[in-house]
Amino acid sequence: MSRRRRMVVANWKMYGRLTSGLVLAREIAEKAEEARPLNFDLVLCPPATLTWAIGEALLGTPVMLGGQDCHTATHGAYTGDLSAAMFVDLGCRYIILGHSERRYGHGESSELIAQKVEAAQLAGLTTIVCVGETADELKAGETAEIIEKQLRESLPKKIKTANLVVAYEPIWAIGTGQQPEPEDVVTVHKQIRKVLGEVGETVRVLYGGSVTPSNAENILCEDEVDGVLVGSASLNADGFWAIAEKCQ
Ligand code: PGA
């Protein structure tokens, strides 16, 4: 069976200062070193301010780096923004795009996200594109429709599917301790593959939303789930590793 390589991604969001971030990254890297060779991709997405220092600390370890968002342009007069190429300079191989905290917190449309995906792929990054329904959409039975629309509109025409990862993150499950039933996750993941068409079986589809050491197994035991995107539980090395090693 040609299994897709699994992936565990830490999204630190806006948490971590230089000292605490370095300690956390080193602790995670130590565990990954002990477990070598890793049978899955392990990616840390710290705040951009920490990326360079963490990259230095991770040199030679199996832990990879990612960014949390980028601009659509390669450079320009965009105060406060960072381009995809700048994340490449920082040693990143991945970038999270279309997270609900960008879609809803910053009013980002799927069209804008598609432009970011194109820019990031052109710069050489693998894009982790997030999609997910709100609690109201779930209640209204609109999950399938919303996921299809978001996914279709968030991917550029010139998509390199080899450099694409999709993360299904129900918005009502992010940071709430709530989670969909594993069978509902499987249904959405299958739907995502269907929307992707021919390449659907080759693209990794992750789950994200309140993943913890105690519930990770329930989700990761599903073949359809190629890994997890972890927010708050990734801020503790033991807890994050307890999740990650389920992919080993
Ligand atoms: P959470 O966040 O694990 O804290 O729910 C997940 C995410 O937002 O990617």
Side-chain angles (χ1 to χ4, degrees), residues 11 13 99 101 169 173-176 208-211 229-233:
N11 176 9
K13 308 191 179 185
H99 190 282
E101 284 150 19
E169 295 212 307
I174 296 176
T176 60
S210 296
V211 176
L229 177 49
V230 188
S232 55

Side-chain angles (χ1 to χ4, degrees), residues 193-202:
R193 296 191 197 288
K194 211 165 144 198
V195 172
L196 292 172
E198 271 175 10
V199 295
E201 287 302 315
T202 63

Side-chain angles (χ1 to χ4, degrees), residues 175-212:
T176 60
Q178 288 180 280
Q179 264 194 341
E181 293 300 326
E183 58 263 33
D184 294 334
V185 173
V186 168
T187 303
V188 175
H189 282 213
K190 282 188 172 154
Q191 191 213 351
I192 288 170
R193 296 191 197 288
K194 211 165 144 198
V195 172
L196 292 172
E198 271 175 10
V199 295
E201 287 302 315
T202 63
V203 172
R204 290 183 285 186
V205 183
L206 315 182
Y207 167 80
S210 296
V211 176
T212 65

